[in-house]
Amino acid sequence: MTFAALVLEVKAEEVGALCDALLDAGALSVSCEDARAGTAAEAPHFDGSGESVSWPRVKLTALCKVQPEPERLLRRACDLAGIAVPAHELRSVADEDWVAKSREQFGPIRISAHLWIVPTWRAPPEPEAINLVLDPGLAFGTGSHPSTRLCLQWLERSIAGGETVLDYGCGSGILAIAALKLGARRAVGVDIDTDAVATARDNARRNGVAGEFLGVGAPLTFIADVVIANILANPLMVLAPVLASRCRQGGRIALSGILSDQADEVAKCYSPWIAFAPPAEAEGWVCLSGVKL
């Protein structure tokens, strides 16, 4: 089999969404490095305290099969990520064991002291922790993006046990699955993408939980104790009346996939129904959370 590498440079804030979108569109793996590596402006990935640093510009290399056309894959990925197609280069790649090579990029991800995301080919670093078994694949939500981590951390703080949860725009199902593993009684995920719904159902089975996953056209017949949506700012604003109506009075809601400078605008759309707490932020992304009035 012949492979090709798509090489492109993007802004730091575009990396997470585009990496997930490239994998969703069919890339076999995606690697990241400082676009200024090898120059005087090269920056370390970790600062003196051990915290990761975001490079201003990032070079992505996406491994693809030559068929279907890599250029088409890139256009689809950029459309999914909501960004313009950047300047890019296509390189031929020798045939190797790319399954093994792509797996090397994805190890366990610590979300908190008690919550991990672990790919199926790795043993959990802490077997006694809550381990979400999840592989990179056909849907957004592997835990690597800051917006997903913020949502998982919020769920860990918010699920006391016995709640009903609506995960709107569920992608891989990671948030609904996490809610069930944290003690929720019922979790329903909804997504416009039929591949995401199928992937979420497979992930729920893999994790031994009874998550329910529906297409966006399916009727929602319950009011949830907890509503969570990790999408993007514009659809969150459009969906404000719908999402607010699905949360019971006194219930909790969390919204993510929002850049820091978009937070006030999104919060304003929900202000007739939701009293928000101060937002949580990571790497320029925000999670808004609050209580239904």
Side-chain angles (χ1 to χ4, degrees):
M1 182 178 295
T2 306
F3 298 91
L6 276 167
V7 183
L8 53 146
E9 185 178 318
V10 295
K11 300 174 186 176
E13 59 268 25
E14 296 172 336
V15 170
L18 186 54
C19 283
D20 281 315
L22 285 164
L23 292 168
D24 291 350
L28 301 175
S29 67
V30 184
S31 63
C32 306
E33 61 181 297
D34 185 359
R36 302 173 302 180
T39 73
E42 181 177 358
H45 190 44
F46 296 93
D47 63 19
S49 66
E51 293 296 318
S52 63
V53 175
S54 294
W55 299 309
R57 301 285 298 180
V58 179
K59 184 172 83 172
L60 299 183
T61 302
L63 179 72
C64 316
K65 298 177 183 177
V66 171
Q67 296 296 333
E69 180 191 353
E71 299 275 356
R72 186 171 60 191
L73 181 152
L74 178 60
R75 289 193 296 272
R76 179 168 183 262
C78 290
D79 185 58
L80 288 170
I83 65 173
V85 177
H88 56 278
E89 177 186 353
L90 191 63
R91 301 173 182 171
S92 61
V93 179
D95 193 1
E96 296 185 39
D97 185 357
W98 289 111
V99 172
K101 283 189 173 291
S102 64
R103 285 182 172 185
E104 289 173 3
Q105 300 181 65
F106 300 102
I109 300 171
R110 181 190 285 276
I111 301 300
S112 70
H114 307 292
L115 184 62
W116 286 81
I117 299 168
V118 184
T120 53
W121 55 83
R122 294 288 294 272
E126 296 183 9
E128 301 307 313
I130 296 174
N131 290 292
L132 308 177
V133 180
L134 199 76
D135 292 343
L138 294 177
F140 177 82
T142 64
S144 60
H145 195 272
S147 66
T148 307
R149 295 198 301 272
L150 287 169
C151 288
L152 289 168
Q153 290 160 359
W154 180 82
L155 281 170
E156 186 177 20
R157 295 191 301 270
S158 301
I159 299 295
E163 294 90 348
T164 56
V165 177
L166 172 63
D167 175 10
Y168 202 93
C170 64
S172 68
I174 187 171
L175 300 180
I177 292 166
L180 290 166
K181 286 204 161 192
L182 289 164
R185 174 173 58 85
R186 181 188 183 194
V188 177
V190 177
D191 204 285
I192 194 170
D193 186 338
T194 55
D195 286 337
V197 172
T199 298
R201 289 171 178 162
D202 289 342
N203 286 332
R205 285 192 289 271
R206 184 178 290 134
N207 281 274
V209 297
E212 304 166 49
F213 297 98
L214 311 170
V216 77
L220 289 175
T221 57
F222 79 109
I223 304 298
D225 300 313
V226 174
V227 174
I228 191 163
N230 181 23
I231 319 176
L232 290 170
N234 286 337
L236 284 173
M237 289 188 283
V238 172
L239 288 166
V242 174
L243 295 181
S245 71
R246 293 296 95 199
C247 187
R248 68 166 175 83
Q249 187 174 11
R252 285 158 291 168
I253 189 167
L255 311 169
S256 196
I258 305 164
L259 293 170
S260 300
D261 60 3
Q262 300 169 328
D264 289 344
E265 189 177 4
V266 175
K268 184 177 179 181
C269 292
Y270 286 80
S271 60
W273 309 283
I274 309 296
F276 284 110
E281 185 171 353
E283 299 177 38
W285 294 87
V286 163
C287 179
L288 295 171
S289 61
V291 176
K292 174 76 175 288
L293 299 172

